[in-house]
């Protein structure tokens, strides 16, 4: 009985690892190419550009939003200065003071 569980667990882990690479590789390629997903709304198109992990840039009819800007500042080159920056929480993979200060531009605080 234990052997069947171990084999099932190994199979599960191998499958999960394969699925993770299939899921993450296109995301990374899309992020590197600054490719976006476009969502059409009655107010206008919303474009979402993946950057990495929880970081993305969203262009809306009302302005540009950066979510959890972390990582290399060069990842944000070519995007407009944000009108708003959202930080979900203080962990290093969601908040990096250097990256945040580099992408802020002339953003105002409310």
């Amino acid at each position: 009985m234990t052997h069947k569980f171990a084999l099932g667990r190994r199979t599960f882990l191998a499958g999960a690892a394969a699925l993770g690479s299939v899921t993450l590789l296109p995301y990374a390629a899309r992020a590197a190419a600054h490719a976006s997903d476009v969502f059409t709304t009655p107010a206008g198109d919303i474009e979402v550009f993946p950057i990495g992990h929880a970081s993305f840039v969203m262009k809306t009819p009302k302005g540009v939003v950066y979510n959890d800007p972390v990582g290399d500042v060069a990842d944000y080159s070519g995007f407009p200065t944000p009108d708003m920056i959202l930080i979900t929480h203080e962990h290093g993979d969601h908040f990096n003071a250097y990256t945040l200060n580099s992408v802020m531009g002339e953003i105002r605080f409310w």
Side-chain angles (χ1 to χ4, degrees), residues 19-67:
L19 180 61
S21 65
V22 168
T23 303
L24 294 177
L25 289 177
Y27 183 86
R30 290 174 55 77
H34 285 217
S36 69
D37 290 310
V38 179
F39 302 92
T40 301
T41 73
D45 287 348
I46 296 173
E47 288 184 273
V48 179
F49 298 84
I51 302 296
H53 184 53
S55 302
F56 61 86
V57 173
M58 183 169 51
K59 293 182 183 178
T60 76
K62 298 289 185 178
V64 177
V65 179
Y66 283 21
N67 188 79

Side-chain angles (χ1 to χ4, degrees), residues 60-82:
T60 76
K62 298 289 185 178
V64 177
V65 179
Y66 283 21
N67 188 79
D68 288 341
V70 299
D72 192 344
V73 175
D75 293 341
Y76 297 88
S77 66
F79 289 112
T81 302

